[in-house]
Amino acid sequence: MKTRTLGLPRRDTPIEAHMGEGIIGWLIGEAPRLELGTIAEGLAQRLTVEGLPIDRFSLSFGLLNPSIVAVGLIWRPGQPLQYTHFGLENRDTGQYERSPFKRAQDTGEWVHIDLANTPDEAFGIVPSLREDGFSHYYAIPLPSSGGDVMSITMATKGPRDFSDDEKALLNSILPAAAVVLELKTLRATFRDVLSAYVGRGPAAQIIDGTVHRGEVTQVRAAIMVVDLRGFTHMSTQLPPRATAEVINAYYDVVVPQVVERGGEVLKFIGDAVLAIFPTEGRGEREAVLAALDAARAALDTDAPPYEAAGETFPIRFGVAVHVGEAVFGNVGSRDRLDFTVIGRDVNVAARIASLCSRLGRDYLVSDAVAAIGRDAGRLMTLEGGHDVRGLGDPLIVHVPDVATLPPAVDDGISQGLTLASNA
């Protein structure tokens, strides 16, 4: 898809002092209602209409995101807008330290790179800019109220630099551009931080105003509880930091499989994971099958054991799946809320997780889930009825795909989850 154009003639006459007023009016009036990509395109095109020789334009900003440090939106005439991400894995590579962004942020001044007279080692980006045929490059810091890292960059392939009038135009619009970019990035940061801690679905509801105690909704969902084997032994043998590394490796096995299949991870409680696959929008059968597939994919993932203190600690876990009704929303005290799911069926799922450990199984499902699985052609083997704490009748469970693990000691984590889930 090609970028949109404004349909206005490029200005060839000298820029007057008032010419920035139209761009400022657009930034303050219309731009806050637009997406960031549209803002980047619109600002770049308006500047080229005023005669600035821009062949590459970008907006960049930092994020509070678990895996992304910064984002860039790059515009080039006649090309689709390009989105770039500076990942957490790049943070300690020195890439940022060798960039003109860092100098611009440290000094608060424009960084101008004359590619014809700048050695390759001056900045990490110089060789690629020269290879792409650019002659001048600017990194311009944008001030923000909280000291966040925001920048505009511009590059030209023509022989001339920006004129004094063009620089004056840019200086006149920078405060308005900074306000709009900060406004948009704050909302993105708010969304990302909430999603990281409470999940995408709860984050969307909170942003939409579901923030009062007692605001809950009835949901039907496939409910998954996962708990790590041997956590008590592991935590007593390993230092706290190493224990956290094992837990993170375990979460990296389970969580992606849930998210990829439309599930929501709601809680990490010790070594336990609570996730739901809502039936809304896809029906009960598809929600249950998604949960079954996520569980099997996680169990089939090859997770290397953790080795420390002369001992090997395998990453093994049990998965329980049930389907039923629950209450989803805000519970807690007046000033401290939790966005979670509670109810009898959450309790049942947690009890099935405790049976996984007691029976030496890595995967158990309820009678209701087994019926749906069989109807879809899945193999389900009856494991019988078992007495569990908190339920009057024996809990009937089934083993999908006849997957087993050697018996393990129940660490009691799933019981802790049950207590947190309205046991």
Side-chain angles (χ1 to χ4, degrees), residues 60 70 86 91 93-111 113 122-125 137-142 148-153:
S60 66
F86 187 78
R91 185 177 60 180
T93 62
Q95 184 177 341
Y96 174 71
E97 284 69 21
R98 298 190 303 271
S99 73
F101 294 102
K102 185 176 189 305
R103 181 175 296 180
Q105 294 297 329
D106 288 348
T107 64
E109 303 290 338
W110 294 25
V111 175
I113 301 176
F123 297 100
I125 197 175
Y137 175 90
Y138 281 92
I140 304 173
L142 292 178
D148 300 316
V149 176
M150 304 190 303
S151 301
I152 285 177
T153 73

Side-chain angles (χ1 to χ4, degrees), residues 86-325:
F86 187 78
L88 188 64
E89 68 277 4
N90 303 122
R91 185 177 60 180
D92 299 323
T93 62
Q95 184 177 341
Y96 174 71
E97 284 69 21
R98 298 190 303 271
S99 73
F101 294 102
K102 185 176 189 305
R103 181 175 296 180
Q105 294 297 329
D106 288 348
T107 64
E109 303 290 338
W110 294 25
V111 175
H112 174 214
I113 301 176
D114 181 350
L115 275 304
N117 300 296
T118 303
D120 285 356
E121 61 271 17
F123 297 100
I125 197 175
V126 168
S128 62
L129 288 172
R130 186 178 286 117
E131 183 179 342
D132 289 341
F134 292 107
S135 56
H136 293 274
Y137 175 90
Y138 281 92
I140 304 173
L142 292 178
S144 69
S145 60
D148 300 316
V149 176
M150 304 190 303
S151 301
I152 285 177
T153 73
M154 287 172 286
T156 179
K157 293 184 177 181
R160 75 175 182 88
D161 188 7
F162 292 146
S163 69
D164 290 342
D165 284 343
E166 289 166 343
K167 293 175 183 178
L169 170 63
L170 290 170
N171 269 318
S172 72
I173 69 168
L174 289 181
V179 169
V180 174
L181 187 57
E182 182 174 4
L183 176 67
K184 304 299 287 188
T185 56
L186 279 175
R187 186 170 181 85
T189 296
F190 181 37
R191 181 197 61 228
D192 287 350
V193 169
L194 274 178
S195 297
Y197 283 93
V198 303
R200 293 169 301 173
Q205 292 195 39
I206 292 169
I207 290 172
D208 287 341
T210 307
V211 296
H212 299 104
R213 185 173 66 165
E215 286 187 296
V216 295
T217 57
Q218 190 90 3
V219 296
R220 187 163 184 83
I223 304 164
M224 176 188 290
V225 175
V226 189
D227 69 296
L228 187 65
R229 291 286 192 267
F231 179 68
T232 298
H233 171 72
M234 185 186 307
S235 62
T236 58
Q237 298 301 308
L238 294 175
R241 185 176 294 275
T243 303
E245 290 176 359
V246 176
I247 287 286
N248 287 336
Y250 151 62
Y251 289 153
D252 281 342
V253 171
V254 175
V255 173
Q257 307 301 339
V258 173
V259 174
E260 287 174 14
R261 290 161 180 83
E264 285 283 351
V265 175
L266 299 180
K267 292 291 172 193
F268 299 128
I269 304 177
D271 69 329
V273 177
L274 171 62
I276 62 171
F277 296 77
T279 63
E280 184 179 0
R282 58 177 162 183
E284 184 170 298
R285 181 179 185 274
E286 293 305 315
V288 167
L289 294 181
L292 292 174
D293 290 343
R296 174 47 56 203
L299 288 165
D300 288 345
T301 299
D302 183 19
Y306 189 86
E307 296 183 6
E311 190 172 353
T312 298
F313 300 91
I315 298 177
R316 301 185 308 170
F317 49 89
V319 184
V321 180
H322 179 48
V323 62
E325 302 288 337

